[in-house]
Amino acid sequence: MILVIGEALIDLFENRHQAGSFNAIVGGANANVSIALARRGTPQQFLARISNDGFGKIIRAKLEANHVGLDHAISASEQSTLVTISLDSAGVPSYAFYVNGTADWAWTPEELPTDADLENMHATAIQFGCLTMAMGPGNLVIEDWAREHFKQKSVTISHDINIRPALGFERNHERLRVERINDISHIIKASDEDIHWLYDMADGEDVDKVVWKWIGDSARHVFITRGGDGVSVYRLAADGSRVRFDVASRKINVVDTVGAGDTFCANLLGQLSDVDALGTDPFDRLQNLSDDVLREFVWTAGIAASITCERAGAEPPTKADLAAVLATL
């Protein structure tokens, strides 16, 4: 079972055909991951702080309709987080955030699962990232909790960096935060745009140096998404040599890219779960996977993400949707 921890919020999508009007859609990177996992049939639980307000009821209803596990979700008194989203002519989103004092960031240690809770859940992985690991005060609470599980080697920890510069974060602070969380993660997913912003790099500048620094001499696995150019996979071979391989993307007509990275994460983790590559002694499990197996998993996860890009908003494919597209390739 994969435990996803993080934000579940309301995305207010600008109506392209009616200026000044917005459609309220359930969003948040970690909510999207949970829905994508549920739609592919992967056992999961979503640990979120869901507001009791009207928007919170919409959030909970959407998650329940998609069979997302909410056994450990928190019923919060704070208001829901709101994000307005506008799309450019290529379908690429820009964001504005209303986050002060909202439900998603108010985590306390008592709200997080104990070791016994994780064992009873049969949890094999923790997935987190994006705003949940950037917004205080709850981000530091979750970070301390995750660090203990990293030390115990009890579950696989997966970090989707998913930077949101529109919130006005200070670049150096964000870089140090991301590197700190990467150090307690077994799997890291980032976009090339994330790295360019974090390290103040020019578009097209090589990100390999940054990624190899993240990996160091560990068995950490890093997946860098490059939009229409596919995904680059980084790992160390058993003899310690560096391995990078690239997996092409499927060519599509993009509607928008909202939720594409979340869908990729979910489908990658789901496949790793299918072959028992998540759980205790995480680095050993990952190291045992061949390059060919990883290449297949990344290709399939990329196809799932491409299906999401063919749809308006974050609407990940079901297992049947994905199988239907794969059968045509």
Side-chain angles (χ1 to χ4, degrees), residues 5 60 91 143 177 182 194 262 275 291:
I5 180 167
R60 190 175 287 273
E143 184 180 328
R177 175 189 67 79
N182 284 349
D194 289 331
D262 310 322
V275 298
D291 290 348

Side-chain angles (χ1 to χ4, degrees), residues 145-268:
W145 172 78
R147 181 173 288 105
E148 289 305 309
H149 292 292
F150 182 81
K151 292 176 181 176
Q152 294 169 15
K153 303 179 182 179
S154 54
V155 292
T156 302
I157 297 177
S158 173
H159 178 209
D160 183 4
I161 293 174
N162 214 346
I163 293 294
R164 293 287 184 256
L167 272 167
F169 293 122
E170 196 276 319
R171 194 189 310 266
N172 187 58
H173 179 275
E174 281 295 274
R175 178 179 58 79
L176 294 174
R177 175 189 67 79
V178 165
E179 291 176 348
R180 196 173 63 241
I181 298 169
N182 284 349
D183 284 345
I184 59 168
S185 301
H186 305 98
I187 295 171
I188 301 167
K189 176 261 173 186
S191 69
D192 52 359
E193 291 181 348
D194 289 331
I195 295 177
H196 288 152
W197 186 86
L198 278 174
Y199 293 87
D200 200 14
M201 299 165 62
D203 287 346
E205 193 171 345
D206 187 16
V207 303
D208 285 17
K209 185 175 180 179
V210 170
V211 174
W212 291 122
K213 184 178 178 182
W214 289 352
I215 291 175
D217 60 359
S218 75
R220 192 167 287 120
H221 282 49
V222 179
F223 302 85
I224 304 299
T225 58
R226 302 175 183 270
D229 293 328
V231 180
S232 298
V233 182
Y234 300 78
R235 66 189 311 213
L236 296 184
D239 63 3
S241 60
R242 292 175 173 180
V243 176
R244 169 188 163 170
F245 56 86
D246 300 323
V247 181
S249 64
R250 167 178 168 249
K251 303 307 177 185
I252 60 168
N253 293 319
V254 175
V255 174
D256 68 53
T257 60
V258 179
D262 310 322
T263 302
F264 176 85
C265 279
N267 280 269
L268 176 62

Side-chain angles (χ1 to χ4, degrees), residues 28-73:
N30 292 291
N32 294 340
V33 171
S34 295
I35 290 172
L37 284 167
R39 288 186 180 181
R40 81 173 299 277
T42 301
Q44 41 63 44
Q45 285 286 327
F46 184 34
L47 183 54
R49 300 188 88 258
I50 303 175
S51 175
N52 291 322
D53 66 12
F55 283 131
K57 291 179 173 62
I58 294 172
I59 292 169
R60 190 175 287 273
K62 172 68 177 287
L63 294 169
E64 290 175 344
N66 281 276
H67 307 291
V68 171
L70 297 174
D71 295 349
H72 302 274

Side-chain angles (χ1 to χ4, degrees), residues 51-109:
S51 175
N52 291 322
D53 66 12
F55 283 131
K57 291 179 173 62
I58 294 172
I59 292 169
R60 190 175 287 273
K62 172 68 177 287
L63 294 169
E64 290 175 344
N66 281 276
H67 307 291
V68 171
L70 297 174
D71 295 349
H72 302 274
I74 306 300
S75 182
S77 58
E78 298 88 356
Q79 292 183 332
S80 296
T81 303
L82 303 179
V83 181
T84 61
I85 301 177
S86 300
L87 302 175
D88 67 15
S89 59
V92 177
S94 60
Y95 301 86
F97 298 85
Y98 300 86
V99 297
N100 289 338
T102 53
D104 297 279
W105 333 120
W107 291 98
T108 65

